[in-house]
Amino acid sequence: NGIGMSDMIDAIIGSFFQISTLFKRLDADGSYLREMQSDFAINNLLALISDAVANNDEKCIELRKSFEKFSYLWELDIASEFDKLCEESIVITEHGTKVVDYDKFDEEIRKCDEIQAEVAKIQCAIDIGWLRVNTTPVKRELSLLASNRRELFISHMRC
């Protein structure tokens, strides 16, 4: 798609090959592009770069997956989840009185606290190969989502 790290690296390498077309051959017509493309040392370096990029891609995908375990925080509708929890937490006593089971809300609040603690432990800058990934924006958003859920459950318990 032209916006990824691999695309940027391919463009840089392409520009090096483009330079070889700027010089005319002295022994024949044409440029030095063919020699650049068939040179063993250049091909070895291109293979090393390709392997490093592929390795970085895999590690970046692993990093993304480590955050995807929190995906329910942004994928699920908090209002419908809250309504569902409210319905599930109502207990009818033996006398027919409806009572709220606050233990279920406590459990959800604990989950939010655990998420915030786990997110706080994640490093703010993670080095992957030659890349430094700034995880601060993701950490901030995850913590905010967990905090919003927590506050919703706490405000309901106060009423």
Side-chain angles (χ1 to χ4, degrees), residues 131-142:
L131 300 175
R132 175 160 282 182
V133 180
N134 180 9
T135 61
T136 303
V138 176
K139 288 176 58 171
R140 183 177 43 243
E141 289 302 315
L142 287 174

Side-chain angles (χ1 to χ4, degrees), residues 92-116:
I92 300 175
T93 63
E94 56 191 47
H95 301 294
T97 307
K98 291 183 179 180
V99 180
V100 177
D101 180 9
Y102 288 113
D103 289 341
K104 292 187 179 189
F105 284 92
D106 282 338
E107 181 182 331
E108 290 298 320
I109 292 168
R110 270 192 301 279
K111 285 180 187 177
C112 292
D113 290 340
E114 289 170 1
I115 290 169
Q116 286 181 312

